[in-house]
Amino acid sequence: EDLFSSVWKSARNRWGWLVINVATAFASTRIIDVFQDTILQLVALASLMPIVAAMGGNTGNQTSTLIIRSLALGQINAVNAKRLIKKELTLALLNGTLIGLLIGLLSWVLYYNLALSIVIGSAMLINLLVAVAVGISIPLGRHKFGKDPAVGASVMLTAITDSMGFFIVLALARMFLIKS
């Protein structure tokens, strides 16, 4: 899209991605629906899982933005791509651990449930790893196939990190917190 194109042309160019975003948001609701019995047994999950999903989206967008900018500046090549991926995944592990401990502590302060705090902290760590992997993969993959790495990256990233964030929290909760 040309930044200075007409409003209508810009709107038409963006509608497709917005519709995709609506569809993927509904996909996330299906994940939540599958685990509704888990949420009913531990209602605190309803307030904590959006935090995990949102942090995944923010982390993935940071990574994606860095990758897209680096591609635009010609800083990423076949020689340094593997090192960059390793660095970003290591950073995700570090940040995921730190933010996981923080959210675990805050959830313990709110709900006084150690098992819940461990599940939420673990889910945060896992989702930040997923978010960084996706934040790297989407722009590098689009670039490899000759597509603009910036186009649609945030929509695809949000869809994946939201869905995975909800799934990870709820699956871990079902495995470790909920009695059958």
Side-chain angles (χ1 to χ4, degrees):
E1 173 182 332
D2 179 358
L3 185 62
F4 297 102
S5 62
S6 73
V7 170
W8 288 111
K9 183 173 174 139
S10 293
R12 282 192 309 274
N13 285 336
R14 296 178 192 187
W15 285 339
W17 289 109
L18 292 172
V19 170
I20 289 169
N21 196 9
V22 169
T24 60
F26 271 98
S28 291
T29 68
R30 298 304 82 214
I31 291 169
I32 294 167
D33 192 53
V34 166
F35 289 96
Q36 66 179 300
D37 60 319
T38 303
I39 296 169
L40 287 172
Q41 291 184 48
L42 190 56
V43 177
L45 293 168
S47 64
L48 294 171
M49 65 184 187
I51 299 169
V52 173
M55 287 299 296
N58 289 334
T59 299
N61 274 317
Q62 286 178 345
T63 302
S64 180
T65 299
L66 174 72
I67 298 296
I68 292 166
R69 181 177 180 272
S70 297
L71 286 168
L73 294 174
Q75 296 174 330
I76 298 176
N77 56 49
V79 175
N80 66 12
K82 197 173 203 173
R83 184 171 49 91
L84 176 66
I85 292 167
K86 183 178 177 183
K87 176 211 167 217
E88 287 300 315
L89 290 172
T90 302
L91 183 59
L93 184 62
L94 177 65
N95 286 339
T97 300
L98 177 69
I99 301 301
L101 287 170
L102 179 62
I103 185 103
L105 177 64
L106 292 172
S107 67
W108 182 80
V109 167
L110 289 172
Y111 299 104
Y112 300 106
N113 184 330
L114 182 60
L116 172 64
S117 298
I118 291 169
V119 162
I120 291 300
S122 299
M124 182 67 75
L125 169 61
I126 295 166
N127 199 38
L128 292 192
L129 285 166
V130 168
V132 167
V134 172
I136 293 169
S137 300
I138 292 171
L140 286 181
R142 289 186 58 81
H143 178 73
K144 182 178 180 176
F145 292 109
K147 303 288 185 188
D148 184 342
V151 174
S154 65
V155 171
M156 292 184 278
L157 181 75
T158 299
I160 294 167
T161 57
D162 283 358
S163 297
M164 287 302 296
F166 296 147
F167 176 78
I168 293 165
V169 168
L170 295 170
L172 288 175
R174 182 176 280 174
M175 287 190 295
F176 298 110
L177 300 176
I178 303 304
K179 295 172 178 67
S180 300

